Amino acid sequence: MTAADDRHADNHASGFFRRHPIGTIVLVLLTLLISLPVVVYLHGRMRLAAVTARIRAAGQPLTWEEVLAVLPTIPDEQNMAVQIDKYATPIRICVNATSGRGEDLPLLGIRRSPAPGLRLDPGGIETSKQLLETNAPNVEGLMAAAELSEGQYPPPFDLDSHGVPALNDHVLTLHRFAVKTLCLKALVEANLNQANPAHTTLVALTRLDRALAKSPTLVAVLTRYACASVIGETAIRCVALADLSDMQLQNLQRQFEELEGNLSPAWAFRSEVGYNESSWERLADSQGGKPVFLLLSYDRALTLELMSRAADAAELPIQQAVAEIRNVGQERDGLPFYYPLTRIAISSPAHVAEAWTRAVAELRIARTTVAIKRFHLAHGRWPDRLDELVPEFMDRIPVDPSDGQPLRYTLTDTGLEIRSSTISCDWRFSDPSLDNPTTQPSASQPASASTDAFSGNNGPSAVSYIRRPDVADVRTLPRKI
């Protein structure tokens, strides 16, 4: 082709563009419309491959099937979770037949919202004793279940043929109910000054957590955090009510420390990675590979990356972990509209971080309260500073998981207070000498702000005002949880 021919072709093309400007614009837009999804898809596949390779290299499960393969196979008779289901179900049926709601238990001052004051109604105490006596074999069955070394609930999530999650929260509800039942048992025993049974029940409460420790999904983790908060509050009240020996108190400290050390949500985040990845695959398969799902490859890669980052962060020390998980949550919340499935697939990581922080703070306050009680037994006085507990009663002063500062402690003529930035435990005595916690509490004790232990709401709250109650003071039992 000659130079003249080339010029003729260029003139012809430019002439077409001049003669048909609208057609030219339409042609360009169609070209972009066709090429842009291809570019997005290819970029998304490349990012997905990179994230997947990192997870594989770390040896972490990537699919729901791989998550389930990691879970142990435990015979029913040795499975703590199966035994909890076996014994908690008839108790719940009994309570449901009595109150009309299977979740109602008269927990001697503990409600869904922890409230100050430990006011015991003689009628409430009697109702609680009758409930426990009526269900004595099943309550003892729960105690025996806590002695088992392993527990594993079936996965709370089931995937249907379309990959749509079906939440089976039956086992989690029963677990919470079992914890509430043993809380009731511990408080009744402590109120009756049955020291040894109260201690045994508190130890059993902390052990029940093992049944949820590797249950996949964040739903199980949030259930654990709710239960840990109630366990911590119950323990504080029982320490004040029951005359426990130093050895029993030391055993409780060790149980709380072990429970706190197993509360990381790392495994649940990794399980969510596998759950989400399998959901993506099933959704794509059910749609026959429609283009819309091909275009969501980047969305899928982003979901996988954010959840993996949250899982990695959860293995760090709690204060650093919470900061990193919050960053992931902020990224998720700030995603633009064209990442719809990522926003849906990822539950708020910040909510999990806050619930984890609160549960750890409750347990650290409970452990510190036990140490203070041991100090009082040994020295006949209350410590002026938490430093006095180290090293005889604690290796070190626990820190507030929210800000990394040591727990705050105040001793006054009327009581003592242990607090973090979000929770406070007030131990009030009517006797200025602080040596007689048996006097009845003031009926005019003002209420403090409360927090729902089973919803993860945040904010300052009074875990309890602790004192040995006088039944003549009672006003408000049975309370419901």
Side-chain angles (χ1 to χ4, degrees), residues 221 224-230 232-233 236 256-265 314 316-319 321-322 352-368 394 398-404 407 419-423 463:
V221 164
R224 292 179 66 204
Y225 294 161
C227 290
S229 294
V230 175
E233 183 187 355
I236 291 173
F256 295 150
E257 192 166 8
E258 291 177 1
L259 176 56
E260 175 193 328
N262 292 322
L263 286 180
S264 167
L316 300 172
I318 183 169
Q319 190 179 359
V322 167
V352 177
E354 296 299 336
W356 181 22
T357 301
R358 178 177 177 82
V360 169
E362 296 247 23
L363 290 174
R364 289 182 179 179
I365 286 177
R367 185 154 52 93
T368 306
M394 304 187 86
V399 300
D400 181 350
S402 297
D403 58 17
L407 293 179
R419 63 188 183 278
S420 70
S421 58
T422 56
I423 303 168
V463 175

Side-chain angles (χ1 to χ4, degrees), residues 391-471:
E392 185 178 1
F393 304 102
M394 304 187 86
D395 294 335
R396 59 187 178 278
I397 300 173
V399 300
D400 181 350
S402 297
D403 58 17
Q405 300 299 312
L407 293 179
R408 292 75 161 170
Y409 173 74
T410 304
L411 177 66
T412 67
D413 291 339
T414 58
L416 56 86
E417 180 185 21
I418 313 164
R419 63 188 183 278
S420 70
S421 58
T422 56
I423 303 168
S424 70
C425 168
D426 294 300
W427 196 331
R428 297 292 177 85
F429 302 97
S430 298
D431 188 337
S433 69
L434 301 183
D435 292 328
N436 180 19
T438 61
T439 55
Q440 71 177 39
S442 168
S444 60
Q445 186 76 47
S448 297
S450 61
T451 299
D452 189 339
F454 278 86
S455 70
N457 295 337
N458 303 310
S461 69
V463 175
S464 56
Y465 290 96
I466 309 225
R467 61 185 79 77
R468 189 183 306 278
D470 188 318
V471 293

Side-chain angles (χ1 to χ4, degrees), residues 32 62 184 215 254 263 268 322 346 470:
L32 291 175
L62 182 61
L184 178 65
S215 292
R254 184 168 56 253
L263 286 180
V322 167
I346 299 180
D470 188 318

Side-chain angles (χ1 to χ4, degrees), residues 19-333:
R19 291 193 303 272
H20 307 285
I22 296 178
T24 301
I25 295 173
V26 170
L27 182 61
V28 171
L29 290 178
L30 285 174
T31 303
L32 291 175
L33 189 62
I34 294 172
S35 61
L36 183 60
V38 174
V39 172
V40 171
Y41 168 72
L42 292 176
H43 184 50
R45 294 301 297 182
M46 291 175 58
R47 184 167 184 174
L48 180 61
V51 175
T52 300
R54 286 201 299 269
I55 295 175
R56 291 294 189 197
Q60 301 296 344
L62 182 61
T63 67
W64 185 247
E65 289 72 20
E66 292 175 10
V67 170
L68 298 183
V70 175
L71 302 180
T73 300
I74 309 171
D76 286 353
E77 63 275 8
Q78 300 174 20
N79 190 336
M80 180 191 296
V82 172
Q83 299 303 309
I84 290 174
D85 193 313
K86 174 181 177 181
Y87 293 110
T89 299
I91 299 175
R92 192 178 184 202
I93 292 173
C94 176
V95 175
N96 186 57
T98 303
S99 67
R101 289 185 58 196
E103 288 298 292
D104 287 347
L105 282 176
L107 282 192
L108 301 186
I110 290 187
R111 303 179 302 171
R112 287 196 56 167
S113 297
L118 197 58
R119 303 173 182 140
L120 305 185
D121 187 342
I125 297 172
E126 187 61 32
T127 300
S128 301
K129 287 173 57 180
Q130 289 177 2
L131 174 65
L132 293 170
E133 290 171 358
T134 302
N135 294 276
N138 294 316
V139 174
E140 292 307 313
L142 290 178
M143 297 287 291
E147 296 295 327
L148 298 174
S149 59
E150 296 181 290
Q152 178 58 57
Y153 282 111
F157 276 140
D158 299 320
L159 295 177
D160 63 19
S161 59
H162 299 292
V164 177
L167 177 60
N168 175 17
D169 62 351
H170 170 71
V171 291
L172 301 178
T173 300
L174 277 178
H175 187 95
R176 289 194 296 267
F177 189 81
V179 167
K180 296 173 188 178
T181 300
L182 293 192
C183 283
L184 178 65
K185 184 176 190 296
L187 287 169
V188 168
E189 291 166 348
N191 176 67
L192 299 177
N193 201 26
Q194 296 175 313
N196 290 338
H199 167 262
T200 303
T201 305
L202 287 175
V203 171
L205 270 172
T206 61
R207 287 175 174 167
L208 285 188
D209 180 73
R210 287 200 301 270
L212 281 175
K214 267 212 166 182
S215 292
T217 74
L218 297 175
V219 178
V221 164
L222 292 173
T223 300
R224 292 179 66 204
Y225 294 161
C227 290
S229 294
V230 175
I231 288 170
E233 183 187 355
T234 302
I236 291 173
R237 292 171 183 263
C238 285
V239 166
L241 291 170
D243 294 328
L244 303 179
S245 68
D246 181 76
M247 182 174 295
Q248 292 170 332
L249 292 170
Q250 189 174 357
N251 191 16
L252 280 181
Q253 277 183 283
R254 184 168 56 253
Q255 294 289 334
F256 295 150
E257 192 166 8
E258 291 177 1
L259 176 56
E260 175 193 328
N262 292 322
L263 286 180
S264 167
W267 168 250
F269 279 129
R270 298 207 187 280
S271 299
E272 291 284 320
V273 167
Y275 169 74
N276 285 328
E277 187 63 11
S278 292
S279 297
W280 279 105
E281 291 177 358
R282 297 195 184 196
L283 282 170
D285 292 342
S286 68
Q287 297 297 323
K290 288 184 179 179
V292 65
F293 285 96
L294 297 178
L295 294 178
L296 293 175
S297 295
Y298 196 89
D299 213 356
R300 176 178 177 180
L302 186 58
T303 300
L304 197 58
E305 182 176 346
L306 290 178
M307 292 301 295
S308 297
R309 282 176 49 197
D312 292 339
E315 295 180 349
L316 300 172
I318 183 169
Q319 190 179 359
Q320 185 179 354
V322 167
E324 292 295 329
I325 293 172
R326 284 174 178 161
N327 289 338
V328 172
Q330 290 174 356
E331 288 188 38
R332 177 258 186 198
D333 295 339

